Amino acid sequence: MAYDKADYLADPIGTSALAYWKRHHPIPSRIKVYHERDYRPELAEGKQVERYFRLIHLLSYIRPYTIPEGMILRQLTKEDDEALVRQIRQAYHDQGISVDQTKLQSWKEFPVYYPKGWLGLFQDDELVASIICEVDPEIKEGIVDWLQVSYKYQGQGFGKLILLAALHRLKEVVDFVTVSGSLDNENYPEAVYRKCGFIGQDIWYIVVA
């Protein structure tokens, strides 16, 4: 669906399944994208279907957070790339997502790369949780792209902590923050975002021939 900046700003999560800066990225012809309002089961007959939530945070209020004693929250550096790649691979191995340091470097070359949005929570030298956020200066949109917590630290609130920390930093430079994620992920990532103040009811269907 064609849209312009005004359309997107009026309803970011209902206008596009992707962040605004990706509007010109080509979508393979075998992939069709439908908002829930336009989706019908017959459109996916015999095809693979994935459902994604899309949420927004308006940044009017961001909950405070506390860093546990003995832990450090800091901006990630190039020296952390290996640990970050390993953590992303572990977190998304069941989704067939492949990430290496070359891919990581390519993200840093995006026009929306925002170094202050790459954060890590550490216990001593161990990466406990990490988040990668981007900033589109054209429309002042923040984008949560990756959020992951190492297995042994899951269920302890560290994903929520690092997300809140990122939101506080993003608020300095953007007007709103968007995120999307799989509705069919058994870990139910949507819950973390809602607990941190994200809202919205938009669902997008990705149909792959």
Side-chain angles (χ1 to χ4, degrees):
M1 180 184 73
Y3 62 90
D4 59 21
K5 185 187 297 187
D7 294 329
Y8 187 85
L9 287 174
D11 182 14
I13 59 176
T15 297
S16 173
L18 301 173
Y20 181 74
W21 81 275
K22 293 183 178 180
R23 65 197 180 282
H24 296 312
H25 285 206
I27 298 176
S29 58
R30 66 189 185 91
I31 296 177
K32 303 298 180 184
V33 181
Y34 302 95
H35 190 278
E36 185 178 35
R37 60 179 169 260
D38 303 313
Y39 177 77
R40 302 185 308 278
E42 56 266 29
L43 293 170
E45 190 170 340
K47 301 172 184 177
Q48 177 184 340
V49 181
E50 297 177 6
R51 301 181 307 145
Y52 286 83
F53 63 82
R54 189 127 155 79
L55 304 175
I56 188 169
H57 199 301
L58 300 176
L59 304 177
S60 56
Y61 172 74
I62 306 171
R63 292 173 54 185
Y65 63 92
T66 302
I67 301 172
E69 185 176 353
M71 288 189 170
I72 295 175
L73 177 71
R74 63 169 173 80
Q75 183 176 324
L76 295 168
T77 67
K78 185 172 180 57
E79 286 67 36
D80 300 311
D81 282 0
E82 183 177 346
L84 178 58
V85 165
R86 185 166 56 249
Q87 188 173 74
I88 292 175
R89 284 177 175 172
Q90 290 176 346
Y92 300 98
H93 75 280
D94 58 340
Q95 298 180 41
I97 293 176
S98 177
V99 173
D100 56 23
Q101 293 194 45
T102 299
K103 175 72 76 174
L104 213 64
Q105 181 58 40
S106 73
W107 298 343
K108 297 178 184 180
E109 295 169 3
F110 287 161
V112 290
Y113 173 54
Y114 184 65
K116 292 181 180 179
W118 290 52
L119 299 175
L121 180 67
F122 293 83
Q123 175 75 61
D124 298 322
D125 293 327
E126 184 179 5
L127 184 60
V128 172
S130 57
I131 192 168
I132 296 176
C133 300
E134 300 166 331
V135 167
D136 182 350
E138 181 181 354
I139 61 169
K140 301 187 77 172
E141 175 183 13
I143 306 111
V144 179
D145 208 0
W146 297 88
L147 172 60
Q148 45 279 322
V149 179
S150 291
Y151 286 144
K152 74 176 185 179
Y153 292 104
Q154 290 180 1
Q156 301 177 54
F158 296 128
K160 184 169 64 175
L161 185 160
I162 201 168
L163 176 57
L164 289 171
L167 289 173
H168 278 280
R169 286 160 175 76
L170 289 171
K171 186 176 182 178
E172 300 173 1
V173 292
V174 303
D175 293 333
F176 63 97
V177 178
T178 59
V179 67
S180 62
S182 174
L183 267 173
D184 301 314
N185 186 327
E186 62 182 15
N187 293 320
Y188 190 46
E190 182 181 359
V192 175
Y193 295 104
R194 291 197 180 277
K195 288 177 181 177
C196 291
F198 282 81
I199 58 174
Q201 301 297 329
D202 291 276
I203 296 175
W204 291 84
Y205 287 75
I206 312 301
V207 179
V208 183

